[in-house]
Every structure is written in structure tokens, then in C-alpha cells.
Amino acid sequence: MSDETVTGTHRIELDEPKCVAAGQCVMVAPEVFDQRDEDGVAVVLDETPAAELLDDVREAVAVCPAAALRLVAL
Amino acid sequence: MTDTTLTDTGRTPDVVDYPTPRDPRCPFAQPANVLATTEADQMARARIWDGSTPWLVTKYADQHALLTDPRLSIDERREGYPHMTRGRSVSAQHTPRLITNTDAPEHTQLRRVVNLPFTVKRVEAMRPRLQELVDGLLDEMLAGPRPVDLVQAFALPVPTIVITEMLGMDYGNREDFQHASHVLVSHDATPEESAAAGAVLGGHVAAAMEAKMAEPADDVMSELAARVKAGEMTMRGALSMSTAILIAGHETSASMISLGTLALLQNPDQLEYFRSIVDDPKAVAAAVEELLRYLSIVHTGVRRIANEDIQVGADVIRKDEGLVLDVAAANWDPAQFPEPDRLDLTRSARSHHAFGYGAHQCLGQTLARVELQVAFRALVSRVPDLRLAIPAEDVDFAYEGVAYGLHSLPVTW
């Protein structure tokens, strides 16, 4: 495994009550986000995504219409 | 927060007549007086149909912040709410509580109830059916006479078939759906015309809902009927929601397909680029985002009212003042999208506000995206020598609605 694929430099925080289930995060970063079957609310599949996924995650955070996502450096 | 913490320069804001007609030489652009406000030091105000002057928010950064600000409300029953039309101001007072007129937390609950059919997984599962439908319409068009009106042959049938199938309504009633929807989103319609159109649509929706209550099928109206039976939703709410999905689901996508085709035909290098990427789903998706940004068909803004005083740059929005947030102008704010008047399908446009932004962002946006990806991909690859059948300056634009579009688009190949 190369340095680029080491995980755990950032953690995703989802403020679930704010989520409006628009699914934007799933469209941008399907490896990291999903939607619950019962109401479409976002699910974080990988809370500390690998470095090569961080650009997509940053975009998902930026386009989240409910501002329910944060990416924090560990 | 008290007034003393806010700083207001006390200047008189510029007032822009809103909406201002577009310059016919720049049919895809908001008028110059509106676009200029994206680069002004302070916010302008919009003079709307009733003479009132709500704030006009056109800078991308201001919009992005305000549309997620819980100090703004979408409660259209409030005094001072800047309605789009006289008709809307009348109907707003007796519209049931819906995702379109409620704030969090009520809105969040309502949205989660209607959201399921529009999740990414469910919409992606529709892609094969969409492909089949688009191919069928193109087969028919290519076998028929030339020239043809692309609006009637392709742009309108695609989303109308999709939304009627999804809801479980009868496509045979499409002329009623299309006509009534057009009236209901038109700024020119009188309250009487809107009421009559609403009654026609309401009749079809109520009949369909009755059928789904008796005999559920695998469609959205049956799901809503089940929610009514389970006591999770009122019948009135289920009917209003079905009607809203039907209206929002076809005219907007139809406009995007016809305007997008025109924009590609007028930018041959971009059309050529699109042809070169049809087998790359990520590039197709990005191209569609740029078409959404560039065209920004919702051209008369989204509306809100302030719950308290809010500082925006050097301005203070006062409690109970209205706001018009012009998403089309923000999508052409050069601070966010350099050279905004250039259609560049390779640009990173995904952060656009074409579907709005914030908790009220378009419910059907994933469906719209997939429809547009499938439709444009098929059109550019299957009709390689597609071209306008009339001079570009004769194309008949339709600016009277909440979203602009084309009355017709004569094409040949």
C-alpha cells in the first residue's frame, strides 16, 4: 500500500437531523456515502476515507444543500 | 442579536425592475442590469409585480450562505413575502403545509416522507428504462419527416412519460397535464386561469389516487396512498404532493433538453466535445452540470422572508423583509464561475445553484440529472448531423414561466 492510500487523516461528521436526503453526497462520492432505504437520509460508509477520496468528499461537503456534512482534520 | 451589533451604511440601494426582459441578442443570459449586481459592492433591491422592493441577492457567495441560514423562512403566508405572481400570492394563503412552504423541523419531516422515490439508488435503477424510452422516441423521430419540432418529438415526451410512469398516472392524459402545468407556472396566468388549470390537474390526480388506494401498484402514488392509510400523511397532502411532482417533473426537464440542444448547436466545438465523451459517464455528468449552470432555467429567483435582522456584507436585511435570490445570476457570478457567459463543458460546475440550494433544493434533481445525461448522450450520438431548420434568431423562446424554455425548436439532420 502506497502512502496515498493510508486512511485516517480526516473524519467525516454528519449532522443527521439537518440532512434533507437530497443524495448529493452519494452522487459525488458513492464510495463514501449512501442513503438509508427507509427515508433517504445520508449514511457515511467510511468515516475516515482514504486520501485519494478526499477531493470527492470535499466536493460532497461543499454541495450538501443542508450543510449537514463536515470534514475535520484528525 | 440586537440592531446595535449590525452596521448599515444607510445608503439607498439600487432598484432593478424584476423581472426585466432579456436582451434578445443574449437569449441565455439574465438581463445586463441583473447580472451587473453580481459585481456591485452592495446588494440591490428588486421591484416586483406588486411594486414592493425585496432584496435582490445575486452574488454566489451571499446566496450560498443565505440559503442555508435558518434565519430565513419560506413561509409564503407571511405578510411581506415576495411572491412570484399575483396568482401565487392568492393561492399561498390556502395551500396545505408542503415541502415548498415549510421550514425545519416541519420541512425535514415532510421531505423525508416524499423523498424515497428520488434517492440516488432508485433513480439509477430507472436508467435502463430511460434509455429504452429515449431510444424509442429517437427511432420514431429519425423514421419520420424532416424538419421536426424537437420540443414535441423529444424534449417534452421524455420527461412527461418518465414522470407519469413514476407516479402511476395515465400518459393518455398528457395534453391536460402539459397544458395545466404550463398555466400553473406562468407569470402571465390570471388567478382564474390558474384555478381552472389546478382543477383539471386536481381531478386527474384525485382519480388516480382513488385507484391507487383501492388497487396499489409499484409506483409513487401508491406509496403516497400507503402513507395516507398508515396515517403518516393527510390525503390533501398526498394529492398536493402528487400534483407538485407532476408539474415540476416535466416542463423543467423539457426546457433543459430543448435549450441544451440549442446551446450545443450554437457552440459547435462544445457539441463536438460532447460527441467525443459519450462513452465516459463522468464526463457526460460534468457536461450536464455545465449545461444546468449555463442555462439556469429558473430565471425569476427563489423567494424567502427574514425572521430576524441579518448582516450581509455592508447591508442589513431587516426582520420581515423579503428576498429574491436569483439563482441564474449567481450561476453567472464571475467570482465563482470565471467567464460565466462561455459554455465550457469541461469546467467544474457542480456547485451551481440551478436546482436552488439549501434544504429546499429541488426534490427531483437526481432524476433530472439522469434524464438529461441519457437524453443528451443519445441525441448527440444518434443524430450526428443534427442542425437547426430555421435561422437561430427566429427560435421562439418562452420566458413567461418560472422556468424559461422554447415554444418550439425546428431541427433537421
Side-chain angles (χ1 to χ4, degrees):
Chain A
M1 197 182 273
S2 69
D3 284 354
E4 283 79 14
T5 57
V6 170
T7 63
T9 59
H10 290 74
R11 189 179 67 245
I12 300 169
E13 292 180 354
L14 166 65
D15 186 351
E16 201 183 285
K18 283 168 93 177
C19 177
V20 294
Q24 292 298 285
C25 51
V26 188
M27 288 210 94
V28 175
E31 302 90 345
V32 181
F33 299 98
D34 197 0
Q35 285 174 285
R36 285 201 305 235
D37 286 340
E38 63 270 29
D39 57 8
V41 167
V43 176
V44 183
L45 300 172
D46 181 359
E47 283 197 346
T48 53
E52 69 267 22
L53 294 172
L54 286 181
D55 280 350
D56 284 350
V57 172
R58 283 194 188 94
E59 191 175 3
V61 171
V63 301
C64 172
L69 288 172
R70 285 207 315 153
L71 184 66
V72 289
L74 292 174
Chain B
M1 203 185 282
T2 62
D3 281 2
T4 52
T5 63
L6 303 180
T7 52
D8 192 340
T9 57
R11 54 121 210 174
T12 308
D14 292 339
V15 179
V16 173
D17 282 332
Y18 197 90
T20 294
R22 291 187 179 212
D23 181 339
R25 291 166 304 176
C26 308
F28 300 128
Q30 286 288 59
N33 59 347
V34 172
L35 285 179
T37 64
T38 64
E39 297 184 85
D41 291 337
Q42 292 185 245
M43 287 193 296
R45 286 179 177 274
R47 178 172 287 108
I48 62 173
W49 61 275
D50 62 354
S52 66
T53 53
W55 290 102
L56 177 61
V57 184
T58 58
K59 286 183 197 295
Y60 179 92
D62 290 345
Q63 252 182 36
H64 210 70
L66 285 167
L67 285 171
T68 50
D69 192 322
R71 294 173 295 178
L72 290 189
S73 169
I74 198 166
D75 185 350
E76 60 185 4
R77 295 169 309 181
R78 277 171 58 176
E79 181 74 30
Y81 189 90
H83 294 282
M84 292 234 184
T85 61
R86 186 182 307 278
R88 290 280 283 268
S89 76
V90 173
S91 62
Q93 297 308 322
H94 42 82
T95 304
R97 307 302 282 163
L98 292 171
I99 55 171
T100 50
N101 59 14
T102 50
D103 301 314
E106 186 181 6
H107 168 265
T108 318
Q109 287 306 113
L110 290 170
R111 179 142 174 161
R112 286 181 184 184
V113 170
V114 294
N115 189 63
L116 271 191
F118 301 99
T119 61
V120 175
K121 252 179 288 190
R122 296 259 310 253
V123 171
E124 282 295 338
M126 293 168 64
R127 211 181 266 270
R129 169 63 187 136
L130 270 164
Q131 187 66 54
E132 175 189 47
L133 159 67
V134 160
D135 282 335
L137 287 165
L138 287 179
D139 287 343
E140 214 171 297
M141 186 179 100
L142 290 169
R146 287 171 279 178
V148 69
D149 175 11
L150 194 80
V151 173
Q152 294 302 326
F154 188 66
L156 197 49
V158 172
T160 306
I161 295 171
V162 170
I163 207 69
T164 49
E165 286 187 1
M166 194 172 173
L167 282 166
M169 296 190 69
D170 184 0
Y171 183 64
N173 293 322
R174 63 187 172 277
E175 281 177 21
D176 277 1
F177 301 155
Q178 288 166 353
H179 174 73
S181 299
H182 187 77
V183 171
L184 287 169
V185 297
S186 170
H187 290 315
D188 294 343
T190 64
E192 293 73 26
E193 286 167 336
S194 296
V200 169
L201 267 193
H204 285 304
V205 171
M209 186 62 82
E210 199 177 322
K212 305 298 176 188
M213 293 290 276
E215 205 172 322
D218 181 19
D219 53 45
V220 170
M221 285 192 75
S222 298
E223 279 177 45
L224 293 174
R227 298 230 179 220
V228 173
K229 282 184 189 165
E232 294 169 8
M233 209 176 189
T234 63
M235 178 55 98
R236 197 160 168 239
L239 292 173
S240 297
M241 199 59 229
S242 302
T243 308
I245 291 172
L246 182 62
I247 295 172
H250 66 264
E251 187 148 300
T252 45
S253 296
S255 295
M256 269 305 300
I257 294 171
S258 55
L259 287 168
T261 303
L262 177 61
L264 289 172
L265 290 174
Q266 293 194 298
N267 292 271
D269 58 324
Q270 297 301 301
L271 178 57
E272 203 43 52
Y273 166 77
F274 205 131
R275 284 207 180 100
S276 73
I277 51 122
V278 289
D279 292 323
D280 179 348
K282 277 204 155 179
V284 168
V288 164
E289 297 304 321
E290 169 65 354
L291 285 168
L292 286 162
R293 179 203 71 82
Y294 180 75
L295 297 166
S296 291
I297 59 169
V298 175
H299 64 145
T300 54
V302 298
R303 315 291 171 111
R304 298 290 187 272
I305 188 166
N307 291 335
E308 49 187 282
D309 295 354
I310 303 170
Q311 180 94 45
V312 178
D315 295 306
V316 178
I317 297 166
R318 296 292 168 185
K319 181 179 187 297
D320 298 325
E321 282 190 320
L323 295 86
V324 174
L325 301 115
D326 186 323
V327 294
N331 284 342
W332 282 44
D333 178 349
Q336 178 71 14
F337 300 106
E339 294 184 77
D341 57 344
R342 202 160 63 85
L343 179 68
D344 174 4
L345 300 180
T346 65
R347 92 161 78 211
S348 174
R350 206 164 189 312
S351 58
H352 63 72
H353 289 171
F355 291 114
Y357 187 65
H360 296 282
Q361 197 179 42
C362 177
L363 179 67
Q365 59 183 300
T366 304
L367 176 61
R369 286 184 161 109
V370 174
E371 276 180 358
L372 297 174
Q373 290 164 13
V374 173
F376 285 124
R377 185 176 169 272
L379 189 66
V380 303
S381 49
R382 292 198 54 197
V383 198
D385 41 5
L386 184 72
R387 58 188 186 273
L388 282 179
I390 58 169
E393 57 270 25
D394 293 344
V395 172
D396 192 7
F397 281 79
Y399 290 120
E400 64 272 18
V402 173
Y404 78 99
L406 296 177
H407 288 299
S408 64
L409 184 64
V411 294
T412 190
W413 53 89

